[in-house]
Amino acid sequence: MKVIDHIRQATGSLISFEILPPLKGKTINSIYEHLDPLMEFKPSFINVTYHRSEHVFKKKADSTFEKVEVRKRPGTVGICAALMNHYRVDAVPHLICGGFTKRETEDALIDLNFIGVDNVLVLRGDAAKNETVFEPEPGGNAYAFDLLKQVVNLNNGIYLEEDIRDGFKTDFCIGVAGYPEKHFEAPNLQTDLAFLKAKVAAGADYIVTQMFFDNQKYFDFVKKCRDNDINIPIIPGLKPITSKKQLSVIPRTFHVDIPDDLSNEIMNCKSDADVERVGTEWLLLQSKELKKAGAPVLHYYTLGKPKVIYNVVKQIV
């Protein structure tokens, strides 16, 4: 089922989760162990992140170094198939621009269509670790808007090969990212909203937000979207803080603010166990407020902390 259909049929806030593919060398069992407890809450869908390859330098026998391309977390398409088969749940694969050509993206979309995936979340993706700014793959999409248009084209039966006539029309429900505190590369929020509005006009069906720790930022973002005629569902993305280190890592990596009350309480913690307790309580308060306000879905970035997410969701369903 499409994400927007889940939302339309819901009588309250739905629950969804986001997971990482396991590192190469791990098995699908690591995903099942991660998700098994969370499936008690009957999530409407599960997002599976997509990861670009990286370049690493490996020392050769002659002591010179060879540049090698490595994809540390492959398997997004296969994981989606496994989740749908194992749990009978809708899987939402992420699609990214970085590291993929348009032809590779088209092939991935065809594979996803063949296995019955109805939804995709399109993202530009981050710059490679050795890049200071994002550089698209030669022959790839430069922006999430371009990737969105490629999915829309396939939904209309338009393939990259111009000699394909009357091609099969896919029917993907397309999600895009939203940034309550603006994308860090946008000069201001209004410009960011203009880009988001263009994605909606081009065919986006729903929005999932970057994580935030102050619900007012989400409420303000939703209002500004509505004021700019962006009227598709806006799903809040939620993540717990579980260590003091994250007080610097999260703002630096995701370009979001951490409220004074939360950061002060965490700084006073004597251990990461205390931080996890504080982070769990904060996430629970966020979740309760968002649910009361009628958020369409509470989307949790589990990312290795399923126990924390379990303890929160257990108290709101």
Side-chain angles (χ1 to χ4, degrees):
M1 187 186 295
K2 294 182 177 182
V3 168
I4 52 170
D5 291 333
H6 280 291
I7 293 171
R8 287 167 182 161
Q9 296 178 18
T11 57
S13 299
L14 302 173
I15 300 295
S16 64
F17 303 120
E18 183 164 309
I19 62 169
L20 291 166
L23 289 167
K24 187 179 289 186
K26 302 288 185 180
T27 72
I28 191 68
N29 288 330
S30 62
I31 296 291
Y32 297 152
E33 291 168 3
H34 184 96
L35 283 174
D36 278 350
L38 296 174
M39 297 309 294
E40 173 185 329
F41 308 119
K42 297 179 171 55
S44 297
F45 54 91
I46 297 172
N47 280 27
V48 184
T49 60
Y50 209 21
H51 296 264
R52 67 185 299 165
S53 58
E54 302 175 13
H55 287 105
V56 297
F57 289 90
K58 293 193 174 182
K59 194 171 185 179
K60 298 165 62 177
D62 61 1
S63 296
T64 62
F65 286 86
E66 179 183 14
K67 188 177 182 181
V68 180
E69 187 176 37
V70 176
R71 192 180 305 280
K72 294 184 177 180
R73 293 184 184 271
T76 295
V77 174
I79 290 169
C80 287
L83 294 181
M84 292 189 299
N85 179 65
H86 190 74
Y87 293 119
R88 297 293 185 262
V89 66
D90 283 307
V92 182
H94 291 193
L95 294 176
I96 60 174
C97 299
F100 298 91
T101 66
K102 292 179 183 179
R103 294 193 180 280
E104 288 171 331
T105 296
E106 182 173 271
D107 290 346
L109 287 165
I110 291 170
D111 286 343
L112 291 168
N113 180 70
F114 285 169
I115 64 175
V117 167
D118 296 320
N119 308 279
V120 292
L121 183 70
V122 300
L123 308 160
R124 188 197 70 180
D126 299 324
K129 288 185 177 180
N130 60 329
E131 297 173 353
T132 54
V133 295
F134 178 84
E135 294 289 344
E137 188 77 5
N141 292 299
Y143 300 99
F145 181 77
D146 301 324
L147 179 54
L148 168 68
K149 287 194 295 183
Q150 183 174 2
V151 181
V152 170
N153 280 343
L154 212 61
N155 279 351
N156 290 319
I158 302 171
Y159 291 73
L160 294 174
E161 287 81 359
E162 295 180 357
D163 59 342
I164 295 179
R165 308 294 183 189
D166 301 318
F168 175 80
K169 296 180 180 180
T170 56
D171 190 25
F172 291 109
C173 174
I174 308 170
V176 295
Y179 299 86
E181 299 173 60
K182 90 170 183 62
H183 191 280
F184 74 101
E185 293 178 2
N188 51 64
L189 182 57
Q190 194 57 44
T191 302
D192 206 21
L193 288 170
F195 289 132
L196 184 57
K197 185 174 181 178
K199 293 177 188 176
V200 174
D205 294 297
Y206 68 96
I207 297 162
V208 181
T209 76
Q210 172 68 285
M211 70 183 71
F212 56 89
F213 299 93
D214 180 352
N215 282 355
Q216 192 58 50
K217 293 184 184 294
Y218 169 78
F219 297 137
D220 291 344
F221 177 69
V222 172
K223 183 179 185 305
K224 289 174 182 175
C225 284
R226 303 312 184 218
D227 290 344
N228 283 270
D229 295 321
I230 299 171
N231 295 311
I232 60 176
I234 302 175
I235 298 171
L238 300 166
K239 175 180 171 61
I241 293 180
T242 56
S243 70
K244 282 189 178 183
K245 183 180 179 181
Q246 289 176 302
L247 287 181
S248 59
V249 171
I250 288 176
R252 182 174 66 250
T253 305
F254 300 101
H255 309 278
V256 297
D257 288 337
I258 296 176
D260 291 344
D261 289 350
L262 177 57
S263 62
N264 289 339
E265 195 168 353
I266 289 173
M267 289 301 295
N268 289 329
C269 290
K270 291 183 170 54
S271 68
D272 278 348
D274 292 335
V275 174
E276 185 170 303
R277 175 185 55 78
V278 169
T280 301
E281 291 174 354
W282 189 274
L283 183 60
L284 177 59
L285 290 173
Q286 273 193 278
S287 300
K288 286 181 174 179
E289 184 178 33
L290 289 164
K291 183 177 182 180
K292 184 177 180 181
V297 184
L298 302 181
H299 183 69
Y300 293 97
Y301 300 114
T302 63
L303 306 181
K305 291 295 179 180
K307 181 180 176 182
V308 173
I309 304 301
Y310 180 92
N311 291 336
V312 168
V313 178
K314 183 76 172 177
Q315 298 182 67
I316 62 172
V317 295

